[in-house]
Amino acid sequence: MKRFNLELGVGLFVLAGILSLAYLSFRMGDLELFGKKGYEVQAIFADSGGIRSGAGVAIAGVQVGKVQQVVLDDYQARIVITLPIDVQLPKDSIAAIKTRGVIGEKYIEILPGGDEEMIGSGGRIAETQPAIDVEELISSYVFGKL
């Protein structure tokens, strides 16, 4: 009986450890277990600037969503963004590709507009600003083109 209690205790401890690791994996990987929560909007950019799926989407410096996919559409980059239901974007919002720091990760910054009409699910952000190419700026400065 004593051996059975010891084995049961060890088994429960190992199970709790496995469940904790699974929970941490989902939380750290920002994975969604039961499907998407929120809605999708699209933005068309002349240059994606190297942004990738999974990149963050921020409003006022606060991450509110993420990039679902980046695809080529008529020689432009169509970026699909997932936002939570409680974050509504006015029709005249502006999406810009930014970089954290000088050579940091790429993300999309959304500047909300003042329009009373909101962008719905599957809608499109009309105004976009492409990424600034830091290498091009530096070479322009070095070679006196600025």
Side-chain angles (χ1 to χ4, degrees):
M1 187 71 165
K2 191 174 187 182
R3 182 169 173 86
F4 175 74
N5 288 339
L6 179 64
E7 289 177 358
L8 180 65
V10 170
L12 290 175
F13 181 75
V14 169
L15 181 63
I18 291 171
L19 290 175
S20 297
L21 283 174
Y23 173 76
L24 286 174
S25 296
F26 278 97
R27 294 286 294 170
M28 297 293 283
D30 199 21
L31 299 174
E32 295 178 11
L33 191 56
F34 300 109
K36 292 185 238 177
K37 298 174 188 166
Y39 67 103
E40 292 182 349
V41 295
Q42 300 178 14
I44 307 292
F45 290 88
D47 182 5
S48 70
I51 199 161
R52 297 180 181 210
S53 297
V57 176
I59 297 175
V62 178
Q63 184 165 338
V64 293
K66 65 181 182 177
V67 173
Q68 278 303 115
Q69 68 179 167
V70 180
V71 294
L72 185 64
D73 185 18
D74 289 334
Y75 302 108
Q76 293 183 325
R78 181 171 45 90
I79 299 176
V80 180
I81 299 166
T82 302
L83 296 170
I85 298 284
D86 60 339
V87 176
Q88 296 294 315
L89 296 178
K91 283 262 188 200
D92 59 345
S93 296
I94 301 171
I97 298 176
K98 303 282 186 172
T99 306
R100 296 190 200 282
V102 178
I103 55 171
E105 67 176 321
K106 305 276 185 176
Y107 71 100
I108 293 183
E109 178 75 32
I110 297 178
L111 305 166
D115 198 344
E116 292 183 18
E117 192 175 344
M118 301 297 168
I119 299 172
S121 181
R124 183 174 154 211
I125 300 173
E127 293 291 323
T128 59
Q129 296 174 354
I132 296 173
D133 189 1
V134 176
E135 293 174 356
E136 187 176 315
L137 281 175
I138 291 172
S139 66
S140 295
Y141 179 73
V142 168
F143 296 114
K145 293 181 183 177
L146 284 179

